[in-house]
Amino acid sequence: MHTVEHLIAGAWTAGSDRSMVIDPHDGTPVTTAPAATPHEVAAAVAAARAAQPDWAATAPDARADALRAAAGAVEDACGLLARTMSAEMGKPEAEAAASIAAGVGTLRQYAELGPLRGGRTLGGDPGALDLMVPEPRGVVAAITPWNDPVAVSCGLLGAALITGNAVVYKPSERAPATGWLLTKLLAPHLPPGVLSMLAGAAPTGAALAESAVDVVAHVGSTAAGRWIAAAAARTGAKALLENGGSDPLIVDADVDPAWAAGQAALGAFANAGQICVAVERIYVHAAVAEDFLLALVKEAAAFEIGPLVDLRHRAAVHGQVVDALDRGAKLLAGGVAPDGPGAWYPPTVLADCTDEMRVMETETFGPVAPVVTVGSFDEALRRAARTPYGLAATVLTGSMSNAHWASQQLEAGTVKINAVFGGAPGGAAHPRRGSGQGFGYGPELLDEMTATKVVHLEAPPGGW
């Protein structure tokens, strides 16, 4: 059992209005956490504001050394973090450890990149000097999700800290002990007030988003992201958002249907479907549809997953499946919540889906693979484009011309050809429409955390 606390101005405090987190494996309690009040939010923001100028004035190499030391502490505590993450949100411990290692790598990447960043000079009057200088934005509110809590947090916190910002961090109320332990590992390497942590649910996040911060960086649902964007418009803060998606997978007529089914299963069922860029809609060419569905059912039967994060989320996922069945979809695998404790839900395959079903229109965020059979590659592209989201998309094809055409036509931040996951380190993209705004990863995230000042310098009459 973890007892989470707030970190404000370098001091840990118990807080009040405590809530319980339940292990989704077996329904046992694992964490109690407080909910930060508006007064505590204001205190954390004020502490960050007071600490930020000295942190910004710290030499970049010294900030990088602090981040490297923090990364080492997280790496050393990987086992404890992985066990806690698994107990709070269900990810198997081995997968949790791999995601923590990715977060450690991100901290180290930013520690290397941060001191190398600089401004540039502009060509102008030979008697003057014109500079473009990047500066920290000030105080960053980082509001992070439960589905990959360490890796995402390391990205936002690392980028904000290395560029000289102070951070007020709110981990998800579904994984508060994971965020609390991460903070306990990072904070000793930073001056007091540079990193604060507040536990709490939506009201705490809302109070933080409406406070006197300079950036609100949020990874989570589209509904929350839109509310944060509106709040930031009122306060003048920059909103940096990576939000929901309903990512399509297109299966062309010329691919091996068994291989394509393996890719579809990985994309739809990994982490029980609780991945921002999970496969949520599948459009398969009629020429291979029958063999693809047979293979996908076999993949679903063999795919091992952890539970969903909690019973509330399981009910939402199952509700989308029931809606699809009521509207004429055919259940080929899964679709029934097992009896007993925990929030388990099986890999589920639905055939004969239509675009009007909720499972096709909105983000499911569960281990559900809804399949639509199409008559042509162009039809698949058209139907895949019918979405309010624009996070990622995948195309499985043996045609280079179709791959190139799809990469141009799909309105998504990331288009993957012949692999549902993968990519070079440091990749970053702009999500489209309801999926967010701004770079959330890679070296470009450092640019999001800074503001550029232009300095024009001339000597006074008569010289210096």
Side-chain angles (χ1 to χ4, degrees):
M1 175 73 74
H2 295 289
T3 303
V4 171
E5 302 167 292
H6 305 306
L7 177 64
I8 300 173
W12 291 99
T13 176
S16 59
D17 194 21
R18 303 192 76 84
S19 60
M20 186 79 70
V21 176
I22 302 300
D23 189 330
H25 294 88
D26 57 16
T28 59
V30 294
T31 300
T32 67
T37 64
H39 174 75
E40 288 167 326
V41 171
V45 172
R49 184 70 65 193
Q52 190 272 330
D54 285 345
W55 180 241
T58 301
D61 282 345
R63 295 201 299 262
D65 287 342
L67 210 58
R68 290 188 194 97
V74 175
E75 185 175 52
D76 291 343
C78 181
L80 174 60
L81 275 171
R83 290 191 297 274
T84 304
M85 186 193 306
S86 180
E88 287 194 315
M89 55 74 58
K91 189 190 290 282
E93 284 188 29
E95 295 178 20
S99 71
I100 292 163
V104 170
T106 299
L107 291 175
R108 289 176 171 152
Q109 178 191 61
Y110 288 149
E112 298 303 315
L113 292 175
L116 302 180
R117 296 180 69 257
R120 61 188 177 94
T121 59
L122 301 173
D125 188 330
L129 182 63
D130 290 272
L131 307 172
M132 293 179 66
V133 183
E135 297 180 334
R137 287 188 174 269
V139 176
V140 175
I143 303 174
T144 61
W146 51 265
N147 64 309
D148 200 1
V150 173
V152 172
S153 296
C154 285
L156 294 180
L157 300 182
L161 292 168
I162 195 63
T163 48
N165 298 282
V167 180
V168 181
Y169 168 44
K170 194 201 86 66
S172 169
E173 68 276 14
R174 282 167 155 161
T178 304
W180 170 67
L181 289 172
L182 178 63
T183 305
K184 289 176 76 72
L185 296 165
L186 299 177
H189 305 282
L190 302 165
V194 169
L195 174 62
S196 292
M197 192 217 87
L198 301 171
T204 300
L208 183 55
E210 290 185 312
S211 66
V213 298
D214 302 290
V215 178
V216 184
H218 170 257
V219 178
S221 72
T222 293
R226 285 176 169 162
W227 192 95
I228 286 169
R234 292 191 295 269
T235 66
K238 175 186 176 68
L240 181 61
L241 309 172
E242 197 227 78
N243 297 148
S246 183
D247 294 355
L249 169 69
I250 294 173
V251 181
D252 206 352
D254 59 356
V255 300
D256 175 3
W259 167 76
Q263 287 290 306
L266 179 62
F269 305 144
N271 198 32
Q274 299 169 130
I275 301 175
C276 297
V277 292
V279 168
E280 301 249 353
R281 300 175 288 142
I282 301 172
Y283 300 90
V284 57
H285 196 287
V288 294
E290 183 176 356
D291 290 340
F292 172 83
L293 283 167
L294 288 172
L296 184 56
V297 169
K298 291 181 180 178
E299 292 282 350
F303 209 100
E304 295 184 6
I305 61 173
L308 296 175
V309 65
D310 57 28
L311 292 174
R312 176 165 56 95
H313 185 52
R314 184 175 75 172
V317 170
H318 185 60
Q320 290 200 16
V321 172
V322 171
D323 172 77
L325 297 177
D326 288 345
R327 292 170 180 260
K330 183 184 297 183
L331 182 65
L332 301 185
V336 178
D339 294 330
W344 299 89
Y345 200 78
T348 297
V349 179
L350 299 171
D352 299 339
C353 293
T354 63
D355 295 329
E356 295 75 25
M357 295 172 181
R358 284 169 50 203
V359 76
M360 301 295 291
E361 287 185 327
T362 63
E363 185 175 43
T364 305
F365 222 60
V368 181
V371 181
V372 176
T373 299
V374 296
S376 69
F377 188 78
D378 283 346
E379 180 189 351
L381 283 178
R382 288 195 305 272
R383 296 178 75 168
R386 295 174 186 169
T387 178
Y389 303 103
L391 195 57
T394 305
V395 178
L396 307 180
T397 181
S399 165
M400 180 59 78
S401 61
N402 279 354
H404 182 62
W405 178 241
S407 70
Q408 293 179 318
Q409 295 300 307
L410 290 168
E411 288 294 324
T414 301
V415 177
K416 298 163 284 185
I417 308 297
N418 293 330
V420 293
F421 298 131
H430 281 136
R432 302 326 196 244
R433 298 185 296 276
S435 292
Q437 59 192 40
F439 285 112
Y441 303 94
E444 289 80 4
L445 182 53
L446 301 179
D447 296 329
E448 299 282 6
M449 297 295 183
T450 57
T452 300
K453 177 182 288 182
V454 172
V455 178
H456 175 75
L457 181 62
E458 290 189 24
W464 293 105

